[in-house]
Structures are given as structure tokens and as C-alpha cells.
Amino acid sequence: MGPIVPIFEISTELNFLIAFIIGIGFGFALEQAGFSSSRKLAGMFYGYDTTVLKVFFTAAIVAMIGLVFFNYFELIDMSIIYVNEYFVNSAIIGGVIMGVGFIVGGFCPGTSVCAAAIGKIDAMAYLGGSLIGIFAFGETYPLWKDIYMKNYLGGVKLSTTLGISDGLMVFGVIAMAVMMFWIGEWAEKKFRRPDITNEL
Amino acid sequence: MKYKIRPLGIIMVSIFGFLVILTFYTDKSQFELTGKEMHAKVLAANYKLSNEDALGMNGAKLVDIRDSKSFRLVPREGAINVPLASILSDENKAFFQTDAPKVLISDDAVQSHEAWMLLTQLGYENLYVTEEKQPEKPKEDDKPKTPIGPRKVISGGH
Amino acid sequence: MNARVILSIIVLGFGLTAAMLPDRKNDSIALNERELLQEMLLANNYLSVDEVAELLIQGDPSVQLIDVRPASEFKDPLPRAMNIPIDSIFSENYAFVFDQSAMKNVIYGMDDQLATQVWMITKQLGYKNNYLMKGGLNAWKSNILDPQYPSQTAPQEEFDLYAKRMASRQFFTGAKALPKVNIKPMMPVQGRKKKRVAGGCS
């Protein structure tokens, strides 16, 4: 038994529909986790609120455990799962730009859409800014192409690069996540700020 | 706080059990060898025999994999008929599990090689293929079948 | 606080189990033995030499002929055939040739053995669009390049097939023969009388 819906037997339209439904779920989860508040997001950097870390690590852990066990029980085929391609230069430069934008604007691209959807004006401004950025990048793409495409490594997995099994990698990430949870809890106490829930 | 953990635990365990049950009933592959292992095996194996070798092998069984109809029309002496379509039935699998060397034969060389590949990938050993036709096959058999009456002839200069 | 401890332990337990699970490679597109047997019995997966000849004559650009003979024995291939010896079908250069969905691969060898092996391996791995030419080059040579005139008592279909094969033969071998025919009338030998055509009804 392979993927429940084989890739060859699904039309593009249905594919988009499934993506749409998953997208709604994603946005809902983001909003529920409080990611539409830029104070909560920025709290990660100052240590008074580690929700971001907890949510993202939880998502990663659930997905990882699910994939490993589904693979073991032959419900999913790991070999045909798309692994995002790795361009070293783009990842580093993009990561820096994204980090600066994150702390300055108070949103990451996904959460800005989420916050704009519930009517936050700063999020709309942020969204407009990122759209202008995308447009500018698209128009000047030939200038960046060389840097953008440099050091292409393909769809590599961390476990294969380190030479360990997927299961061991999962365990390592989980151990790290649990450790980060406790550190986060500790940090939240240490850098506690007055409760802002009512102001939001 | 314990209340919140318990339903979560129950859900987790039941999902786990569901997976185990689900995978138990899926149509799993019985192949012992993967495609790459089969490739290596094929490169190393030499399983094609000539007719004399096949007949001279000790305790070898001839397995004719043509369908039963053509086997009845032109039977091959000393051969057991195992039609290709039913080669995976339980009794035939039990037969292929026995130790005696088995020589696959067919009118169609493609089919006997295919049957060899399939059974070898399933992990059965001692299989061979011979492509040669039945020895001392009476040639007279063929002739009466074709009608002898006058025929339209296309050839010739007229 | 207690719930967090329990949650951490559960998650770590899952992680430990995941770490201890044996590595398993699933191949969801690979066929199991029953599916493979069905494919083996399906006539659509095979092409006769006559069908291949027809495809070649039509010039179908999506047809890709793959000759699986060892490189040392690779000579006189079918037109436009590429040589992928059976020992290198998984090598980096050639793996993509079998696992694709754009072209129709027609696999052939000298006889049926090597081609069947390659076809079975690719079929079992779940690759699509691979076809097997029955009989291989031997059948090609005896049926297309040198068709036997059917016996006088053969049914009409055999004569039709023979006529078709002769036409194919002219297509596949005619390129060499044609110039000779063309040259003759261009340089008539002077001073020698033309011989009368013997035979026939003139």
C-alpha cells in the first residue's frame, strides 16, 4: 500500500482543491496558536513568549513521527515524498533577510497573511511590502540569478548527510525539541513581562 | 491535568492499533528480492539449458507453462502442465518450493523467461529454462492440418 | 506541570521507538507478484516485429528503441536504437530512460532472454511505457529482413503478411539498394545492344 491517493491518478484541479482545504486548516491553526499577534512572534526573540518555538517544534515532531511510522507500516512511500531543494547561498542570504524582516515587521510571511485576514493594518502593510519585494525580485531576477543558483545541493536530507538512519534523526530532533521546551518554559519565567492578553 | 493526557493517550494508542490492523490486511508483496537484487542475480545467473542438459539432469521435472488447451493439443512428453496464468496458486507455489530442479518450457521463450524471473524473485531456487523445442517431434503432425485444396496464387509473372 | 512531564516522556518514547525501527524502503509504485503476473499476461505489453516495423515506418517520434545486448555485441541495430547493455540499466546515465512517461520504450535483444529480463525488472519496479519486442533481432532478421515466401497452401493472411513484410524490407534495406538502380539508366553503355527481357509475357 502506498500513498492513499497516488500522484498519477489525481487531476490538477482536485490537487488545488486539496491544497486549498489544507491551506484553510493551516491558517486556522496559525490563528489559533496566536501567530497573528506580532508581540507573540517577537516574544520569541526576547524570550518572554516561546509559543512560536513550541508550535513549530510540535508540528515538526508530529509530522516526523507520523512519516516514520507510516513508512514503517507501509502506508506511505518515503522515496516519492518531495524534499525541498537546497541552494546553499539562497538559503543563507534569504534566511538573513527573512530574519531581519521578521523582527522589524513582527510577522513572518505566512502569519502576515493570517493577521491581515483578521484585519490588522500593520499586517496588511507588511503583506504589501513583501508583495513589492517579490515583484522587484521577479523583475530583476537576471541580476541575482548567479547568486541564487549557486551551490545547489538538490533535495538532500539531514539524515543522509549525517549518515544516520531517519529514525535516529527523528529521535535526535525530538530530544532537542523536548530540551527546548523546557528551556523555553524557563525563559518565559525569567523574562516574564506583564500580561498583554487583554490589550490585544 | 491528568484528564487531558488520558484521552490523548487513548487516541494515540488506538491510531497505532488501527495502523497495525490496516497493514495486516493490505496486499503485500511477497517478493524476496528487490528489483536491483534481481538485476544482480540475472547478470550472474546462467539458467538457460539445452534440451539434453535438461533431460539429463538428475530428477529434473519439466514444467510446461503453456495454457492447458495448447498443452492438451500438443502434449509434451514427461512434462507437467502448469499454466502461466495460475502459476501463483497455492498448490503450484507448493510445487515450486520442492527441491527438485525444475525446467520451464514454453512455445514462447518470452513466457518461460518471465516465469523464471517471477519465481526467482519470489525466492524459489533450482529453476531453469530451456528454449528448445521438443526433441524428435513428429513432423507429420503439422501437414494434415493445412488444407490441400487449390489456392489463389499471387506469385508468378502472369 | 505534571502533564508536561508526561507529554515529554510520551514524545521521547515515540522518538526512541522511531530510532529503533528497522529501515524500511517502501516502493509504492513497485508491483507485487500478482500485479506483475497480470502484466505478464497482458498482450498489450508486447510488440511483434511487424508492429515495430510499422511504428518505425510511420516514424512515430515517441518510439524509443532500446537494444539491451552487451556493448561488445552491439552491431546492426534497428534504426535509431540506443544501446543500453543489461548490466548498466541502473547506471546514472540510463536509469531515467526506463523511468519516464513521455516515450514508448521498445526493448529488444538478440533473442528473448536479455530483453525479457530487462522488461521484467523495469515492470516490477513500476516503470511505465516499456514494451517488449517479441523474438528480438533474430525474429526481425527472419521476418522483416528476409521474409520467407509462404508455402502454396498457406492461408491468404500469410500472403498479405508476406507482402507487407516485403514492403517493410524495402523500407529498411532499400536505402542501400536504391542508388544502384538509379545509376544504371544515367550511364547507358553505348555500342551494346540491350538484351531482351527474358520470360514474362511481353
Side-chain angles (χ1 to χ4, degrees):
Chain A
M1 191 166 167
I4 294 159
V5 186
I7 33 172
F8 301 112
E9 287 157 32
I10 188 168
S11 70
T12 326
E13 290 82 6
L14 194 58
N15 212 348
F16 282 143
L17 183 69
I18 292 171
F20 180 66
I21 292 168
I22 294 176
I24 289 176
F26 176 64
F28 182 75
L30 274 185
E31 166 60 25
Q32 280 300 299
F35 275 22
S36 52
S37 153
S38 49
R39 291 194 206 183
K40 234 185 172 105
L41 293 173
M44 186 65 229
F45 292 92
Y46 303 113
Y48 62 83
D49 193 332
T50 50
T51 316
V52 178
L53 178 122
K54 287 178 193 163
V55 168
F56 274 122
F57 257 130
T58 310
I61 287 173
V62 170
M64 277 191 322
I65 293 178
L67 279 180
V68 167
F69 279 92
F70 274 35
N71 182 49
Y72 181 73
F73 288 117
E74 296 185 12
L75 288 169
I76 210 161
D77 184 356
M78 290 282 263
S79 61
I80 54 173
I81 287 178
Y82 175 72
V83 179
N84 217 349
E85 276 147 11
Y86 185 30
F87 297 87
V88 180
N89 288 21
S90 320
I92 292 171
I93 299 170
V96 170
I97 295 175
M98 152 103 189
V100 172
F102 198 160
I103 196 62
V104 170
F107 294 106
C108 71
T111 57
S112 75
V113 179
C114 206
I118 62 166
K120 289 200 170 172
I121 295 165
D122 58 339
M124 289 176 196
Y126 186 95
L127 199 57
S130 45
L131 285 177
I132 292 170
I134 292 169
F135 182 75
F137 176 76
E139 286 300 310
T140 56
Y141 177 69
L143 291 178
W144 314 109
K145 200 180 168 191
D146 287 341
I147 311 170
Y148 184 71
M149 288 297 195
K150 230 176 191 176
N151 294 340
Y152 172 65
L153 292 184
V156 287
K157 285 200 289 186
L158 203 53
S159 51
T160 30
T161 315
L162 294 177
I164 57 177
S165 77
D166 286 348
L168 200 59
M169 189 70 215
V170 168
F171 178 65
V173 175
I174 286 175
M176 205 168 74
V178 168
M179 216 165 67
M180 292 301 283
F181 273 107
W182 289 102
I183 293 175
E185 295 274 297
W186 169 81
E188 275 179 25
K189 265 193 222 122
K190 171 140 197 187
F191 304 105
R192 186 192 289 277
R193 291 194 178 184
D195 193 14
I196 50 163
T197 320
N198 296 330
E199 298 166 33
L200 294 176
Chain B
M1 266 301 174
K2 245 191 167 177
Y3 293 129
K4 285 189 178 170
I5 283 295
R6 197 168 291 160
L8 197 71
I10 292 170
I11 291 171
M12 287 288 212
V13 169
S14 50
I15 288 177
F16 218 75
F18 173 71
L19 287 183
V20 173
I21 293 167
L22 199 66
T23 50
F24 189 75
Y25 286 107
T26 49
D27 193 11
K28 264 183 260 172
S29 166
Q30 304 279 323
F31 281 135
E32 301 246 322
L33 303 175
T34 64
K36 296 230 165 132
E37 285 166 350
M38 202 57 211
H39 182 229
K41 182 142 192 159
V42 156
L43 289 179
N46 185 19
Y47 59 88
K48 201 160 111 179
L49 299 178
S50 69
N51 238 331
E52 293 84 58
D53 288 345
L55 293 173
M57 202 186 292
N58 232 354
K61 285 182 175 146
L62 285 179
V63 182
D64 196 323
I65 58 165
R66 289 176 297 168
D67 57 48
S68 46
K69 193 175 160 197
S70 40
F71 183 74
R72 247 177 282 145
L73 281 174
V74 191
R76 174 143 184 169
E77 265 173 56
I80 314 161
N81 183 219
V82 178
L84 183 62
S86 62
I87 208 165
L88 290 177
S89 72
D90 288 337
E91 48 189 301
N92 287 338
K93 272 185 180 170
F95 165 70
F96 282 112
Q97 232 145 22
T98 53
D99 284 335
K102 294 160 217 59
V103 184
L104 302 169
I105 42 175
S106 173
D107 277 353
D108 189 348
V110 169
Q111 286 198 338
S112 37
H113 285 295
E114 278 177 349
W116 186 89
M117 293 284 289
L118 185 74
L119 294 167
T120 307
Q121 193 159 12
L122 282 167
Y124 300 117
E125 302 280 339
N126 275 330
L127 293 164
Y128 301 93
V129 166
T130 174
E131 284 181 10
E132 285 167 44
K133 294 279 180 294
Q134 190 163 358
E136 74 261 354
K137 188 182 171 190
K139 282 260 169 169
E140 296 78 40
D141 271 8
D142 290 339
K143 286 210 167 150
K145 266 190 250 160
T146 52
I148 302 178
R151 279 265 146 197
K152 204 171 110 188
V153 177
I154 319 176
S155 63
H158 293 269
Chain C
M1 214 38 168
N2 206 6
R4 288 159 203 234
V5 176
I6 296 175
L7 254 181
S8 310
I9 290 169
I10 288 178
V11 173
L12 276 174
F14 268 120
L16 260 181
T17 326
M20 284 188 290
L21 285 181
D23 248 350
R24 175 180 277 181
K25 281 245 161 69
N26 288 333
D27 223 339
S28 59
I29 49 171
L31 273 57
N32 66 28
E33 71 278 6
R34 259 168 269 272
E35 293 164 331
L36 187 56
L37 182 62
Q38 274 176 4
E39 291 287 338
M40 283 158 57
L41 297 169
L42 203 67
N44 281 357
N45 282 318
Y46 308 102
L47 294 170
S48 69
V49 284
D50 295 300
E51 285 164 330
V52 173
E54 206 171 317
L55 284 175
L56 286 175
I57 291 172
Q58 284 167 357
D60 190 338
S62 70
V63 171
Q64 191 166 257
L65 292 163
I66 296 173
D67 194 320
V68 293
R69 287 177 292 172
S72 55
E73 295 168 24
F74 181 67
K75 53 184 178 237
D76 300 334
L78 298 186
R80 291 195 287 128
M82 64 167 118
N83 183 219
I84 302 181
I86 181 167
D87 51 4
S88 56
I89 58 172
F90 285 125
S91 72
E92 241 170 69
N93 298 338
Y94 297 132
F96 70 94
V97 175
F98 294 99
D99 188 13
Q100 44 79 34
S101 54
M103 308 287 274
K104 266 188 195 167
N105 286 334
V106 178
I107 300 169
Y108 74 92
M110 203 63 202
D111 56 4
D112 284 325
Q113 188 176 1
L114 292 179
T116 308
Q117 290 167 353
V118 172
W119 181 80
M120 281 290 279
I121 290 171
T122 55
K123 206 78 204 174
Q124 198 272 324
L125 288 171
Y127 299 168
K128 302 210 189 290
N129 289 330
N130 289 312
Y131 300 86
L132 181 58
M133 185 172 99
K134 274 198 165 182
L137 270 186
N138 287 337
W140 177 268
K141 272 176 196 149
S142 60
N143 289 346
I144 302 293
L145 300 187
D146 186 20
Q148 290 297 308
Y149 191 74
S151 61
Q152 299 280 333
T153 56
Q156 181 64 40
E157 289 85 49
E158 277 192 35
F159 285 97
D160 293 345
L161 187 64
Y162 175 74
K164 200 170 170 188
R165 282 176 176 171
M166 284 308 279
S168 315
R169 178 198 156 152
Q170 197 172 10
F171 181 84
F172 290 111
T173 57
K176 287 173 205 157
L178 271 175
K180 270 187 206 161
V181 180
N182 281 342
I183 286 165
K184 263 189 188 168
M186 282 167 79
M187 302 192 296
V189 182
Q190 300 229 328
R192 198 198 284 174
K193 267 198 173 173
K194 255 188 186 172
K195 242 186 188 174
R196 254 182 97 99
V197 183
C201 35
S202 42

PDB file of all heavy atoms in Angstrom, chain C residues 59-71:
ATOM      1  N   GLY C  59       7.280   6.456 -38.474  1.00  0.00           N
ATOM      2  CA  GLY C  59       8.162   7.497 -37.974  1.00  0.00           C
ATOM      3  C   GLY C  59       7.668   8.135 -36.693  1.00  0.00           C
ATOM      4  O   GLY C  59       7.888   9.312 -36.447  1.00  0.00           O
ATOM      5  N   ASP C  60       6.979   7.363 -35.867  1.00  0.00           N
ATOM      6  CA  ASP C  60       6.468   7.881 -34.600  1.00  0.00           C
ATOM      7  C   ASP C  60       7.640   8.367 -33.737  1.00  0.00           C
ATOM      8  O   ASP C  60       8.502   7.590 -33.349  1.00  0.00           O
ATOM      9  CB  ASP C  60       5.724   6.748 -33.883  1.00  0.00           C
ATOM     10  CG  ASP C  60       4.961   7.242 -32.679  1.00  0.00           C
ATOM     11  OD1 ASP C  60       5.323   8.303 -32.159  1.00  0.00           O
ATOM     12  OD2 ASP C  60       4.013   6.561 -32.270  1.00  0.00           O
ATOM     13  N   PRO C  61       7.699   9.681 -33.461  1.00  0.00           N
ATOM     14  CA  PRO C  61       8.874  10.189 -32.732  1.00  0.00           C
ATOM     15  C   PRO C  61       8.892   9.791 -31.258  1.00  0.00           C
ATOM     16  O   PRO C  61       9.911   9.942 -30.596  1.00  0.00           O
ATOM     17  CB  PRO C  61       8.732  11.712 -32.866  1.00  0.00           C
ATOM     18  CG  PRO C  61       7.283  11.936 -33.095  1.00  0.00           C
ATOM     19  CD  PRO C  61       6.755  10.728 -33.791  1.00  0.00           C
ATOM     20  N   SER C  62       7.762   9.295 -30.745  1.00  0.00           N
ATOM     21  CA  SER C  62       7.766   8.941 -29.323  1.00  0.00           C
ATOM     22  C   SER C  62       8.273   7.526 -29.092  1.00  0.00           C
ATOM     23  O   SER C  62       8.368   7.075 -27.959  1.00  0.00           O
ATOM     24  CB  SER C  62       6.366   9.090 -28.746  1.00  0.00           C
ATOM     25  OG  SER C  62       5.529   8.091 -29.274  1.00  0.00           O
ATOM     26  N   VAL C  63       8.586   6.831 -30.172  1.00  0.00           N
ATOM     27  CA  VAL C  63       9.077   5.465 -30.003  1.00  0.00           C
ATOM     28  C   VAL C  63      10.577   5.490 -29.794  1.00  0.00           C
ATOM     29  O   VAL C  63      11.310   6.161 -30.520  1.00  0.00           O
ATOM     30  CB  VAL C  63       8.728   4.604 -31.226  1.00  0.00           C
ATOM     31  CG1 VAL C  63       9.414   3.268 -31.139  1.00  0.00           C
ATOM     32  CG2 VAL C  63       7.233   4.412 -31.309  1.00  0.00           C
ATOM     33  N   GLN C  64      11.009   4.794 -28.775  1.00  0.00           N
ATOM     34  CA  GLN C  64      12.428   4.784 -28.426  1.00  0.00           C
ATOM     35  C   GLN C  64      12.863   3.329 -28.366  1.00  0.00           C
ATOM     36  O   GLN C  64      12.372   2.563 -27.549  1.00  0.00           O
ATOM     37  CB  GLN C  64      12.561   5.450 -27.065  1.00  0.00           C
ATOM     38  CG  GLN C  64      13.967   5.768 -26.659  1.00  0.00           C
ATOM     39  CD  GLN C  64      13.928   6.731 -25.484  1.00  0.00           C
ATOM     40  OE1 GLN C  64      14.154   7.917 -25.608  1.00  0.00           O
ATOM     41  NE2 GLN C  64      13.629   6.211 -24.314  1.00  0.00           N
ATOM     42  N   LEU C  65      13.761   2.960 -29.270  1.00  0.00           N
ATOM     43  CA  LEU C  65      14.191   1.565 -29.298  1.00  0.00           C
ATOM     44  C   LEU C  65      15.405   1.395 -28.394  1.00  0.00           C
ATOM     45  O   LEU C  65      16.346   2.170 -28.446  1.00  0.00           O
ATOM     46  CB  LEU C  65      14.547   1.160 -30.726  1.00  0.00           C
ATOM     47  CG  LEU C  65      13.357   1.105 -31.683  1.00  0.00           C
ATOM     48  CD1 LEU C  65      13.848   1.115 -33.107  1.00  0.00           C
ATOM     49  CD2 LEU C  65      12.523  -0.119 -31.421  1.00  0.00           C
ATOM     50  N   ILE C  66      15.346   0.366 -27.560  1.00  0.00           N
ATOM     51  CA  ILE C  66      16.439   0.122 -26.627  1.00  0.00           C
ATOM     52  C   ILE C  66      16.993  -1.265 -26.863  1.00  0.00           C
ATOM     53  O   ILE C  66      16.292  -2.262 -26.744  1.00  0.00           O
ATOM     54  CB  ILE C  66      15.949   0.277 -25.181  1.00  0.00           C
ATOM     55  CG1 ILE C  66      15.511   1.705 -24.935  1.00  0.00           C
ATOM     56  CG2 ILE C  66      17.052  -0.110 -24.213  1.00  0.00           C
ATOM     57  CD1 ILE C  66      14.870   1.920 -23.605  1.00  0.00           C
ATOM     58  N   ASP C  67      18.251  -1.282 -27.224  1.00  0.00           N
ATOM     59  CA  ASP C  67      18.940  -2.536 -27.508  1.00  0.00           C
ATOM     60  C   ASP C  67      19.696  -2.933 -26.259  1.00  0.00           C
ATOM     61  O   ASP C  67      20.575  -2.213 -25.808  1.00  0.00           O
ATOM     62  CB  ASP C  67      19.899  -2.305 -28.683  1.00  0.00           C
ATOM     63  CG  ASP C  67      20.387  -3.612 -29.257  1.00  0.00           C
ATOM     64  OD1 ASP C  67      20.663  -4.520 -28.458  1.00  0.00           O
ATOM     65  OD2 ASP C  67      20.495  -3.715 -30.494  1.00  0.00           O
ATOM     66  N   VAL C  68      19.371  -4.082 -25.669  1.00  0.00           N
ATOM     67  CA  VAL C  68      19.970  -4.430 -24.385  1.00  0.00           C
ATOM     68  C   VAL C  68      21.119  -5.431 -24.521  1.00  0.00           C
ATOM     69  O   VAL C  68      21.579  -5.975 -23.538  1.00  0.00           O
ATOM     70  CB  VAL C  68      18.919  -4.995 -23.403  1.00  0.00           C
ATOM     71  CG1 VAL C  68      17.948  -3.924 -23.016  1.00  0.00           C
ATOM     72  CG2 VAL C  68      18.217  -6.198 -23.967  1.00  0.00           C
ATOM     73  N   ARG C  69      21.577  -5.626 -25.734  1.00  0.00           N
ATOM     74  CA  ARG C  69      22.729  -6.526 -25.877  1.00  0.00           C
ATOM     75  C   ARG C  69      23.958  -5.889 -25.232  1.00  0.00           C
ATOM     76  O   ARG C  69      24.047  -4.668 -25.132  1.00  0.00           O
ATOM     77  CB  ARG C  69      23.001  -6.769 -27.363  1.00  0.00           C
ATOM     78  CG  ARG C  69      21.994  -7.655 -28.019  1.00  0.00           C
ATOM     79  CD  ARG C  69      22.268  -7.786 -29.477  1.00  0.00           C
ATOM     80  NE  ARG C  69      22.038  -6.525 -30.192  1.00  0.00           N
ATOM     81  CZ  ARG C  69      22.357  -6.336 -31.442  1.00  0.00           C
ATOM     82  NH1 ARG C  69      22.973  -7.287 -32.124  1.00  0.00           N
ATOM     83  NH2 ARG C  69      22.109  -5.186 -32.041  1.00  0.00           N
ATOM     84  N   PRO C  70      24.911  -6.737 -24.801  1.00  0.00           N
ATOM     85  CA  PRO C  70      26.166  -6.165 -24.279  1.00  0.00           C
ATOM     86  C   PRO C  70      26.822  -5.302 -25.343  1.00  0.00           C
ATOM     87  O   PRO C  70      26.683  -5.563 -26.543  1.00  0.00           O
ATOM     88  CB  PRO C  70      27.015  -7.401 -23.980  1.00  0.00           C
ATOM     89  CG  PRO C  70      26.071  -8.522 -23.868  1.00  0.00           C
ATOM     90  CD  PRO C  70      24.871  -8.197 -24.684  1.00  0.00           C
ATOM     91  N   ALA C  71      27.543  -4.272 -24.903  1.00  0.00           N
ATOM     92  CA  ALA C  71      28.113  -3.314 -25.840  1.00  0.00           C
ATOM     93  C   ALA C  71      29.001  -3.987 -26.877  1.00  0.00           C
ATOM     94  O   ALA C  71      29.098  -3.553 -28.023  1.00  0.00           O
ATOM     95  CB  ALA C  71      28.892  -2.254 -25.072  1.00  0.00           C
TER      96      ALA C  71
END
